[in-house]
Amino acid sequence: MPIRETLFLGRGDVRRLLSMETALPVVESAFAAHGRGETRMPPKIYLDLPEFKGDFRAMPAYIPSLNAAGVKWVSSHTANPGRGLPAVIAVLILSDPETAEPLAIMDATHLTLMRTGAAGGVAARYLSREDSHVLALVGAGVQSHAQLDAIRLVRPVRQVRLSDPNQAAVQSFMDHFGADPELEITICGDGREAVAGADIVVTTTPSRKPVVRRDWLGDAVHINAIGADAMGKQELETAILQDARVYIDDREQALHSGEVNVPVSSGAWSADNLAGSLGEVVAGLAEGRTRGGGLTVFDSTGLAVQDMAVARAVYDRAVKEGVGQALPLATE
Ligand SMILES: NC(=O)c1ccc[n+]([C@@H]2O[C@H](COP(=O)([O-])OP(=O)(O)OC[C@H]3O[C@@H](n4cnc5c(N)ncnc54)[C@H](O)[C@@H]3O)[C@@H](O)[C@H]2O)c1
């Protein structure tokens, strides 16, 4: 059997091949497979680099139904935006599960952004009110762009309320979305002003102390808590979790590094209160939003199964369209 070449896909290739319209259904099916227990995904491994204000994470996964296996090597370096670099930089190896051949090596920086946005869209589809049209974004970095792109595919978002102390981030958000005739964007002085009257709240900050408080929120709000994805990070006041139905993406990862990690380790909130995982909701094994009112929280840590499902879709499309560069990786 001849050894297959490995396809190299740069950031521009992946950007061309992957839209939010493509990512959203692929991520939704990855959540369903994960919810049914049909995936294999050891929890991510962290390599902390406090001297560089960052970390690396290794994220392996296998999805039998998609014939996709591989690993993503991804960072979260908070000083990077100040250097003109993304806070999150990633590379992914997609392998054939049967032969172990590396099918592709691809930049996964844009892929990470898209699959995280798509997870937010899936959560909004199952957990927010159908008529949700006011979206508050606390944090205006790149993840907030992807959240808006995904949520507006599933909900009729017309008003966006934005809060970020970093003027450059706000400007870049406005450069991207400011001219969109279907969006009315309000730049708010702080998080409290941003979340007032919101149907959906998305937090995408690297904060280690709450940036949204319970008494700022209405009574029928869904929150995507995206920023907390490492131990010690927290964006929501614990009183919000106490009043909400809380859904995680993966129990082990969430307890270690998700929004719930700080209140669980301090004893202020118990994991016994979890309503389920988003995958279980998508698979019909747990209830999502059952009535108009009430708070719901999606605690996103980011799953390797999201990455592998999207990487498989990118690879298949690249092969079909002849995109990328074949590398003779296995040549002696
Ligand atoms: N859950 C996941 O799957 C997942 C995936 C990727 C990234 N992340 C995390 O999401 C976070 C954001 O990532 P990014 O790439 O958008 O980073 P980024 O640096 O581009 O943006 C973060 C923004 O948050 C702002 N901010 C900080 N404190 C704030 C506050 N109190 N109120 C409002 N805004 C505030 C910063 O000024 C900055 O503009 C990071 O913590 C990252 O690790 C999570």
Side-chain angles (χ1 to χ4, degrees):
M1 191 165 139
I3 291 167
R4 267 184 283 183
E5 286 177 318
T6 304
L7 194 61
F8 174 79
L9 296 167
R11 195 169 303 169
D13 297 326
V14 176
R15 200 182 283 281
R16 227 170 304 129
L17 294 163
L18 181 61
S19 65
M20 190 55 81
E21 285 83 353
T22 304
L24 198 103
V26 170
V27 167
E28 186 167 347
S29 62
F31 270 108
H34 189 59
R36 288 192 295 264
E38 294 169 358
T39 61
R40 273 173 243 169
M41 190 190 75
K44 51 180 127 168
I45 298 168
Y46 286 75
L47 174 62
D48 290 324
L49 300 170
E51 62 274 53
F52 299 120
K53 294 195 178 70
D55 60 49
F56 284 112
R57 299 136 195 218
M59 301 178 64
Y62 171 41
I63 311 174
S65 58
L66 297 178
N67 201 28
V71 64
K72 185 173 81 167
W73 179 242
V74 58
S75 57
S76 179
H77 277 45
T78 51
N80 266 5
R83 304 178 175 117
L85 288 171
V88 173
I89 295 179
V91 61
L92 185 148
I93 301 171
L94 180 72
S95 299
D96 181 320
E98 187 181 348
T99 65
E101 291 165 291
L103 300 175
I105 298 174
M106 65 180 80
D107 180 87
T109 305
H110 178 67
L111 184 149
T112 300
L113 188 61
M114 299 298 274
R115 65 74 143 140
T116 308
V122 173
R125 172 174 278 161
Y126 287 87
L127 300 176
S128 73
R129 290 192 340 263
E130 273 187 31
D131 61 350
S132 296
H133 63 278
V134 183
L135 172 65
L137 299 173
V138 181
V142 288
Q143 293 296 341
S144 73
H145 298 208
Q147 291 288 317
L148 171 54
D149 282 337
I151 293 170
R152 66 192 302 202
L153 288 178
V154 302
R155 290 294 180 256
V157 175
R158 287 189 298 278
Q159 290 177 39
V160 176
R161 304 178 58 80
L162 185 68
S163 150
D164 193 313
N166 178 347
Q167 287 314 305
V170 171
Q171 188 55 52
S172 143
F173 185 95
M174 292 308 286
D175 291 346
H176 203 83
F177 294 103
D180 191 319
E182 289 171 11
L183 295 177
E184 184 192 311
I185 303 173
T186 307
I187 299 166
C188 301
D190 55 25
R192 179 185 204 128
E193 193 185 330
V195 306
D199 302 314
I200 300 176
V201 172
V202 178
T203 55
T204 57
T205 77
S207 189
R208 289 176 174 267
K209 56 182 190 325
V211 296
V212 178
R213 305 215 167 268
R214 172 65 188 100
D215 63 2
W216 301 351
L217 297 167
D219 286 324
V221 181
H222 171 66
I223 304 167
N224 280 345
I226 305 294
D229 60 352
M231 202 188 277
K233 283 181 164 183
Q234 181 183 23
E235 296 182 288
L236 307 181
E237 188 183 30
T238 303
I240 295 174
L241 304 184
Q242 283 160 349
D243 272 4
R245 287 175 66 80
V246 180
Y247 299 84
I248 39 79
D249 53 8
D250 180 82
R251 187 183 169 95
E252 205 167 335
Q253 285 193 181
L255 295 185
H256 176 267
S257 44
E259 179 58 39
V260 300
N261 89 84
V262 172
V264 165
S265 59
S266 72
W269 190 81
S270 163
D272 295 344
N273 297 319
L274 284 172
S277 74
L278 181 60
E280 288 166 343
V281 175
V282 175
L285 301 171
E287 278 188 335
R289 177 169 288 271
T290 49
R291 55 200 168 91
L295 294 181
T296 47
V297 171
F298 171 51
D299 173 357
S300 164
T301 58
L303 306 184
V305 294
Q306 290 166 240
D307 296 306
M308 246 30 80
V310 174
R312 180 81 222 190
V314 166
Y315 172 73
D316 288 344
R317 191 159 167 211
V319 170
K320 198 166 147 208
E321 296 184 10
V323 177
Q325 200 184 328
L327 299 178
L329 202 66
T331 305
E332 297 291 337

